[in-house]
Amino acid sequence: CDSQCKVWRKCMRMFKLALIAMAALLLGSASASAITVKKRTEGPGLPPEIWKIVGDFCAIKTWHPVVADCVETKEGDVTYRTLTLKDGGKIKEKLTGTEDLGYSYEIVESPLPVKNYKSKLWLEVDDEPDRSVIYWQSDFDANGASDDDAKAKITGILADGVKGIKQQAIAAHDAKEAAAGKAPEGDKDDDDDK
């Protein structure tokens, strides 16, 4: 084979290696969190008012109906919470980020049928006056259950959570209205499960 043939063969080998590397990259990224669940609802009050009530990392014990207790710990600069569920189960979660009106975390240990679980809870201003939008989103892979079963479990947890936050927002808004001498109206919107 002449020198031109050798150059062509070398180029083809490099091209094959590039294709193999690209395929490995695509396959590796395909195993990233395959399931996303996002729940939202709207509630009365501005986001900073609601966040004062529900935004502490362990405040989840006051607004999530399946959480019996929450203990916050630090390991170096890392914050963890251990949730004790009403059925006795325990979930250890690691705080991975904070914002003015939100935080993100990942599950470290859990009886839930998930792995690679990352989640974010946050509030935004609604387009209606004196209202907020409550969001909770989780990305994960099923573990020990089908994708559908894992998704159904997490969907229920997030739906109960945003509903619990909404109930806290309604109670705070009604108390604020009562303190101002107005009759509390509650929240007329039934916009859960969006």
Side-chain angles (χ1 to χ4, degrees):
C1 191
D2 63 4
S3 65
Q4 200 173 28
C5 178
K6 288 179 184 177
V7 169
W8 184 82
R9 284 185 179 172
K10 186 176 181 181
C11 285
M12 287 306 295
R13 277 193 300 254
M14 290 176 63
F15 180 71
K16 286 179 186 178
L17 284 173
L19 283 177
I20 291 169
M22 188 182 313
L25 181 63
L26 288 173
L27 287 174
S29 64
S31 66
S33 299
I35 304 168
T36 296
V37 173
K38 184 176 184 179
K39 299 306 287 179
R40 74 178 291 281
T41 193
E42 298 167 9
L46 295 173
E49 296 166 349
I50 298 172
W51 198 248
K52 283 181 191 174
I53 302 165
V54 302
D56 181 74
F57 197 40
C58 257
I60 190 169
K61 67 184 172 190
T62 64
W63 52 261
H64 203 291
V66 301
V67 177
D69 194 23
C70 179
V71 176
E72 189 172 308
T73 57
K74 282 208 170 258
E75 294 177 22
D77 291 336
V78 181
T79 302
Y80 293 90
R81 69 180 175 195
T82 301
L83 308 176
T84 301
L85 308 179
K86 290 185 179 171
D87 69 3
K90 291 194 181 278
I91 300 174
K92 184 175 182 181
E93 298 173 334
K94 174 182 165 184
L95 184 66
T96 57
T98 59
E99 300 171 13
D100 289 342
L101 299 170
Y103 60 74
S104 54
Y105 66 94
E106 59 189 39
I107 290 180
V108 178
E109 297 170 17
S110 169
L112 296 173
V114 296
K115 64 181 180 180
N116 304 319
Y117 184 99
K118 296 180 183 349
S119 196
K120 182 176 179 180
L121 174 69
W122 75 100
L123 304 178
E124 292 181 5
V125 175
D126 191 13
D127 54 1
E128 294 182 36
D130 197 34
R131 292 188 63 80
S132 296
V133 183
I134 303 154
Y135 293 99
W136 197 357
Q137 179 175 322
S138 298
D139 300 298
F140 55 91
D141 293 316
N143 185 30
S146 70
D147 285 0
D148 288 342
D149 288 346
K151 184 175 184 177
K153 183 74 171 172
I154 299 305
T155 298
I157 290 169
L158 271 54
D160 288 346
V162 296
K163 185 177 180 183
I165 293 171
K166 180 178 182 172
Q167 290 169 346
Q168 293 283 318
I170 291 168
H173 186 265
D174 287 352
K176 181 177 153 186
E177 293 289 304
K182 300 178 185 175
E185 297 180 29
D187 191 55
K188 298 174 190 155
D189 285 349
D190 186 19
D191 51 12
D192 293 326
D193 295 321
K194 289 185 180 177

